[in-house]
Amino acid sequence: KAAAKGDAMADNMMQSFFGISRSFSGGIGGMKGLGAMAKGFGKGLKGSLHPVKLMVDFIIKVIEQLVLMDKASAAVFKNTGIEGFRDDISRLNMHLMGALGPEAANVAGSTITTIIKGRKDLREMRPDIVSLAKSVAQFEFLGASAESIVDLSVFLDNNLNMSVGQQKNVLHQAYGLAKDLGRPVEEVFTEMAESLPVLSRFGKDFPRIFFDLSRAAKRTNVKISDLQDLVESTDTSENVLRTSARFNALLGGNFINPAQLLAAKPAEKVQLIAEAYQKAEEVTGRKIPQRILRDLYKQFGLDAQKFRNIVKTDFAGFEQKTQDFMTKPIDTDRAIMNKMIEQGTAMGDKLMNQ
């Protein structure tokens, strides 16, 4: 039966080629019929061996992809109850195939499923689902968690009223930040999602606040979660007045301004504390005694090493670097796809050389 189908295809090759967008997951018999179908196609052409073999190989590859896309579409329907995503999966498959090969269709389907489940508000907005799915699939390949990206999407939509296009820009900026800081993509996206409970109160400034604090974490070699603890300890007027008074008393001068500390953004708070400490050492001309240092770091909820890392950090040029990053063009989908292909090739070479 499969061979007969191949004969029919060879009788009118152009018509068959352009009609190949039909579903092949049913009557053909799936993957098992591919070999027989290829033989029938070759027999029908009655041409030279090499062109036939090339065309047979091509037809097999195309049909394999059609079968995979049908299966992915069926999986989306099974998991979400929504059908009709086959064309969307096909477009995503084409975009991802260069990096993912035969797994592209499956990844496209599973990514769409993840978004539909996490973004129920987008169920009837298919262009947005597919657009977001492209970014999610790309960054997941590079190490990020699909769930953390969807969580960020929900927040950016519900709290900042960002369109999917604007959300993608933020995600691409987060990817650019990971590259800029030389950090794994997975860590940056995870930290961004985990920062939502603490930093979400900054509303539309959340992306910029997170990017700034990430840069401060990199420069001080202190985890962003620890810097958030410091920020929390200087977040209310009562805490700031008490902490600033104690800080100035211990160091013997008016080195930190409580009003300035209270008004500062998170990364600026870290910088203010570091520079106030450095100013105290410069004015007194001596190294701060351990007993004072111990009392100081307790004021900010840090241990000795983390506090020392912060106050010994040189923040010269910090604001300019942040500004440069925020105004730098973001990576396009194509640039990210090239990175995926590069990374996939490197992984393949590594496996081959083991």
Side-chain angles (χ1 to χ4, degrees):
K1 185 176 180 180
K5 286 185 179 287
D7 284 328
M9 288 177 68
D11 287 339
N12 197 340
M13 184 171 64
M14 291 300 293
Q15 180 182 346
S16 298
F17 179 79
F18 288 110
I20 207 166
S21 61
R22 294 171 298 166
S23 173
F24 281 82
S25 61
I28 286 181
M31 302 294 249
K32 292 183 179 178
L34 292 178
M37 186 175 183
K39 291 178 182 177
F41 180 81
K43 181 180 178 182
L45 280 177
K46 299 179 181 178
S48 63
L49 176 62
H50 295 299
V52 169
K53 185 178 186 305
L54 290 173
M55 185 59 76
V56 168
D57 288 344
F58 171 74
I59 293 296
I60 287 177
K61 294 295 184 185
V62 171
I63 297 172
E64 283 177 345
Q65 285 300 310
L66 291 170
V67 172
L68 290 171
M69 285 186 284
D70 280 342
K71 288 183 175 180
S73 180
V76 171
F77 175 70
K78 178 181 178 181
N79 291 316
T80 67
I82 303 178
E83 58 184 345
F85 273 101
R86 189 179 184 284
D87 289 344
D88 303 310
I89 290 173
S90 176
R91 286 191 289 272
L92 271 176
N93 178 66
M94 289 291 291
H95 178 73
L96 298 171
M97 194 181 297
L100 302 181
E103 286 297 312
N106 180 50
V107 170
S110 64
T111 303
I112 286 175
T113 297
T114 299
I115 291 173
I116 292 173
K117 288 184 174 181
R119 292 293 311 274
K120 292 182 172 57
D121 56 308
L122 294 180
R123 290 172 75 93
E124 303 303 322
M125 302 170 68
R126 298 197 177 193
D128 283 346
I129 291 174
V130 176
S131 178
L132 188 57
K134 182 183 290 187
S135 290
V136 172
Q138 289 174 163
F139 295 130
E140 187 174 24
F141 177 86
L142 294 171
S145 158
E147 288 72 18
S148 67
I149 298 174
V150 173
D151 286 346
L152 285 168
S153 173
V154 170
F155 169 79
L156 295 173
D157 184 0
N158 293 344
N159 294 275
L160 308 187
N161 198 31
M162 283 188 178
S163 67
V164 167
Q166 291 171 320
Q167 294 168 32
K168 283 169 65 72
N169 285 342
V170 172
L171 297 175
H172 283 227
Q173 279 186 310
Y175 168 71
L177 179 71
K179 285 201 313 177
D180 206 38
L181 299 182
R183 298 189 58 212
V185 174
E186 176 184 10
E187 289 182 5
V188 171
F189 275 91
T190 299
E191 287 176 353
M192 196 171 187
E194 290 176 346
S195 295
L196 288 174
V198 177
L199 302 181
S200 60
R201 68 178 183 275
F202 292 101
K204 62 182 179 62
D205 290 330
F206 165 74
R208 173 65 182 261
I209 293 294
F210 173 78
F211 296 149
D212 286 357
L213 205 54
S214 293
R215 288 190 163 281
K218 175 70 174 181
R219 186 169 286 211
T220 59
N221 196 28
V222 174
K223 290 182 180 179
I224 191 171
S225 58
D226 292 320
L227 294 187
Q228 287 174 1
D229 290 340
L230 181 150
V231 170
E232 288 292 282
S233 73
T234 57
D235 193 45
T236 65
S237 56
E238 182 181 352
N239 284 347
V240 167
L241 287 172
R242 182 177 62 251
T243 300
S244 299
R246 185 64 177 164
F247 185 95
N248 289 331
L250 287 167
L251 295 177
N254 188 25
F255 299 110
I256 196 163
N257 184 320
Q260 189 179 8
L261 183 62
L262 181 62
K265 294 178 180 178
E268 293 172 346
K269 290 178 186 288
V270 179
Q271 183 175 353
L272 282 173
I273 292 167
E275 291 176 347
Y277 182 92
Q278 292 163 12
K279 183 179 178 181
E281 282 197 324
E282 181 183 341
V283 169
T284 60
R286 61 186 176 85
K287 188 175 180 180
I288 306 300
Q290 282 296 318
R291 60 179 181 79
I292 294 179
L293 188 64
R294 182 167 55 251
D295 204 344
L296 280 173
Y297 65 70
K298 288 180 179 178
Q299 298 295 316
F300 298 104
L302 300 170
D303 64 27
Q305 187 59 56
K306 292 169 186 173
F307 183 76
R308 189 177 291 109
N309 284 358
I310 291 171
V311 298
K312 295 298 183 182
T313 296
D314 181 3
F315 278 90
F318 179 77
E319 294 177 11
Q320 185 59 50
K321 281 187 174 293
T322 298
Q323 186 61 32
D324 291 344
F325 170 75
M326 295 302 297
T327 56
K328 185 171 64 174
I330 62 174
D331 287 283
T332 63
D333 282 330
R334 173 50 53 191
I336 295 172
M337 175 54 62
N338 290 339
K339 180 63 178 179
M340 291 170 64
I341 294 173
E342 176 188 321
Q343 187 166 313
T345 301
M347 291 168 61
D349 290 344
K350 185 177 180 180
L351 289 173
M352 291 289 289
N353 293 326
Q354 284 182 349

